[in-house]
Amino acid sequence: MAAGITYTPIATTTLGSAQSSVTFSSISGSYTDLVLVVVSKTSVDSASSILRFNNDSTSLYSSTRIEGTGSSALSGRESNTTSITLESNIGTDNTNPSVFIMNILNYSNTTTNKTVLIRQNGFYTGGEGTAARVGLYRSTSAINRIDILETASTYASGSTFSLYGITAA
């Protein structure tokens, strides 16, 4: 019987001081998919984290989201943007960590555009919520770099960013 799917740790960054971005570069193309796990706090309440691939800030990104706070439900779509927004109304704050799990599918395939599935639980002033987003990077280039950026504040010291490769047997 085959071993099945395995997660291989590629890299983890734990911030020793506040930073506005984290980059994973020189990503090997030897896996089927990638999983990026971010557990972060920000220096102020913020909903401004974004994701970019291959240091590409052209308008090749789109995304669709659904989210809920227990008292309201929201949805939205962004097209032809310069990044994928990781959160919108459910942000991060400086007290409670938010968790993002991102599945980056077929990242090394050079014949298809790239899809990322993003799940988040988040805290913000006065509450908490959960969200799901699907993002599209309209490029057939293999992904060899991932940037996670906080555009309105900084990620707090102690935030962790972990990248895993998935190998299908």
Side-chain angles (χ1 to χ4, degrees):
M1 184 167 170
I5 298 172
T6 60
Y7 281 53
T8 303
I10 297 173
T12 296
T13 298
T14 300
L15 301 183
S17 62
Q19 288 184 214
S20 60
S21 66
V22 171
T23 298
F24 293 99
S25 60
S26 301
I27 299 169
S28 165
S30 61
Y31 304 99
T32 309
D33 303 302
L34 298 173
V35 175
L36 176 60
V37 179
V38 176
V39 180
S40 65
K41 292 190 270 186
T42 50
S43 57
V44 297
D45 286 352
S46 178
S48 300
S49 289
I50 61 172
L51 180 68
R52 282 196 181 124
F53 300 120
N54 295 341
N55 202 28
D56 186 349
S57 60
T58 60
S59 299
L60 293 177
Y61 303 89
S62 299
S63 66
T64 302
R65 68 175 165 81
I66 56 173
E67 58 187 78
T69 63
S71 60
S72 66
L74 303 160
S75 64
R77 173 141 178 77
E78 299 173 331
S79 298
N80 301 316
T81 57
T82 59
S83 61
I84 296 172
T85 302
L86 293 181
E87 74 263 326
S88 51
N89 297 294
I90 299 168
T92 56
D93 72 18
N94 60 355
T95 305
N96 301 294
S98 291
V99 177
F100 300 87
I101 300 171
M102 296 168 246
N103 295 81
I104 304 164
L105 310 175
N106 294 314
Y107 79 101
S108 61
N109 187 318
T110 58
T111 61
T112 61
N113 291 332
K114 308 307 178 278
T115 302
V116 57
L117 304 174
I118 303 164
R119 293 168 286 156
Q120 176 204 6
N121 80 309
F123 294 88
Y124 57 96
T125 303
E128 60 185 273
T130 189
R133 181 179 298 265
V134 60
L136 176 65
Y137 175 48
R138 292 184 310 279
S139 173
T140 57
S141 297
I143 294 172
N144 57 28
R145 175 178 166 153
I146 300 171
D147 294 289
I148 308 101
L149 304 105
E150 173 54 49
T151 61
S153 66
T154 56
Y155 294 111
S157 176
S159 296
T160 61
F161 302 76
S162 300
L163 184 63
Y164 301 90
I166 297 179
T167 305

